Amino acid sequence: QHVSFFSRSTSHAALIYPWETYASFRALEFNTLISLVSALDFTLHVGYPTSEHVVPGCPVYVERIARAKHGSDTGSYDRNGEFGEVDFGRIWDFDNEKKDGLYFSEIVNMWIANRNMFDVAGFLFQVFLWGSFWLLAADGERILRKEDVRRLYDGSIFL
């Protein structure tokens, strides 16, 4: 659901083009360089698996977003794109102080624990996703709060 935020057009809401991803990151107040790199990274990692063509074009097909599930992730979404409460709860095993949030160092520990052998692309995409989200939503104490992560997963953080 949260991927819908990145579709900026009403005429082709089922597709997300790189310029829409760029505009979305700019709307979230990321700088030009991060927005550009994010648009390219998102399109490469998500556009290809959602395409129906052997040689895919550049848009991300929203209706097939579950195909873009990558390795080295938290497992909070299953292969069908369904949210799993139990797997979401495992994220908070890395909250060493039981503060209902994660410091950046705890997120790094989670990346390392979730890393699949030989899955460089999935690992780097996970670093990109969680790093971007920490920059976006960490509070003044530099903690990414559990309720904000839940809002990311359900898409309400973008409303």
Side-chain angles (χ1 to χ4, degrees), residues 106-125:
E106 294 169 327
I107 294 171
V108 170
N109 291 337
M110 180 182 64
W111 293 337
I112 292 167
N114 290 340
R115 181 180 52 194
N116 295 338
M117 187 181 293
F118 305 116
D119 182 28
V120 176
F123 176 75
L124 291 176
F125 195 55

Side-chain angles (χ1 to χ4, degrees), residues 35-116:
S35 298
L36 182 61
V37 170
S38 298
L40 294 172
D41 190 43
F42 180 76
T43 302
L44 288 173
H45 280 92
V46 181
Y48 179 74
T50 64
S51 177
E52 58 190 15
H53 306 289
V54 175
V55 179
C58 66
V60 171
Y61 292 79
V62 176
E63 69 273 5
R64 293 190 289 275
I65 199 68
R67 288 185 185 176
K69 180 169 173 40
H70 53 88
S72 301
D73 67 356
T74 63
S76 295
Y77 284 107
D78 66 16
R79 290 271 175 213
N80 297 318
E82 299 295 323
F83 180 75
E85 191 67 45
V86 171
D87 293 313
F88 178 78
R90 289 189 188 117
I91 294 171
W92 311 107
D93 293 345
F94 297 92
D95 178 8
N96 297 324
E97 299 172 11
K98 305 304 176 208
K99 61 194 165 303
D100 281 335
L102 298 172
Y103 290 116
F104 191 77
S105 61
E106 294 169 327
I107 294 171
V108 170
N109 291 337
M110 180 182 64
W111 293 337
I112 292 167
N114 290 340
R115 181 180 52 194
N116 295 338

Side-chain angles (χ1 to χ4, degrees), residues 6-21:
F6 294 92
S7 180
R8 311 301 276 179
S9 173
T10 55
S11 65
H12 60 266
L15 301 173
I16 302 171
Y17 288 93
W19 52 88
E20 293 176 303
T21 304

